[in-house]
Amino acid sequence: MGSIQPRRLMTASGRSIVVRTASPEDAERVVAFVKAVAAEAPYLLTTEAEVVTTSERQKQWLQQMADDPGKLALLAEHDGEMIGFLDFHNGNKRRTKHQGSFGMSVKNGFRGQGIGTALLAALLDWAKENPLFFNIGHRFDIYCCSPFIIELNVLVACIESETANPSSDVIVQ
């Protein structure tokens, strides 16, 4: 089952956020979030008009995500408001189960504050503990020299800092 323990974090601007696994009970909120982000973000591939899912279909999808050990749906909240979402899907063939792709959105007004970094960090920590993704745990000593680097088909968010250890520290800016 794809899930994480909830994480409580503080942004540099002093806002408290929670990153947690999205559940089927969040379906209505997820649909509203996706529609809102599609309306405000002209760079997304999906337009607001193309978001046609219903709360019931979203609920079923979130349940499928929860039931599959190679999939994960996360959301970020601030004072009960959904402000970020990430979904990860691993390969559906035996030879591609160890890799996957993700999509992520952060609500306008919360971008640039580390919400995406927190969602990515939660995804990577989950992947390191998931037996499907054995390579990540054994080869996660990555030295950070740029904001984003590609390693083992996983996008890794790194923050340059004298004290940051990219394999374990989460810094929300």
Side-chain angles (χ1 to χ4, degrees), residues 45-53:
L45 296 176
T46 304
T47 67
E48 182 182 17
E50 294 171 321
V51 179
V52 295
T53 192

Side-chain angles (χ1 to χ4, degrees), residues 29-40 47-49 51-54:
R29 294 175 65 210
V30 172
V31 171
F33 173 82
V34 170
K35 286 181 180 182
V37 170
E40 70 189 20
T47 67
E48 182 182 17
V51 179
V52 295
T53 192
T54 64

Side-chain angles (χ1 to χ4, degrees), residues 68-153:
D68 190 318
K71 295 180 178 24
L72 183 66
L74 300 174
L75 60 83
E77 298 173 304
H78 169 67
D79 289 341
E81 175 187 3
M82 189 171 162
I83 59 170
F85 188 76
L86 179 147
D87 62 305
F88 173 86
H89 305 265
N90 71 322
N92 59 3
K93 297 185 182 336
R94 187 175 65 83
R95 291 184 176 167
T96 62
K97 285 194 178 294
H98 68 283
Q99 65 185 32
S101 61
F102 70 93
M104 180 174 59
S105 300
V106 176
K107 195 171 185 181
N108 196 16
F110 291 89
R111 295 180 190 138
Q113 297 180 37
I115 310 303
T117 299
L119 287 164
L120 278 173
L123 168 64
L124 291 171
D125 288 346
W126 168 80
K128 285 191 291 185
E129 298 299 320
N130 189 317
L132 289 173
F133 308 105
F134 61 91
N135 286 335
I136 294 172
H138 295 295
R139 298 197 47 211
F140 202 69
D141 293 326
I142 298 169
Y143 297 97
C144 209
C145 59
S146 66
F148 295 96
I149 57 176
I150 303 290
E151 177 75 12
L152 299 169
N153 295 321

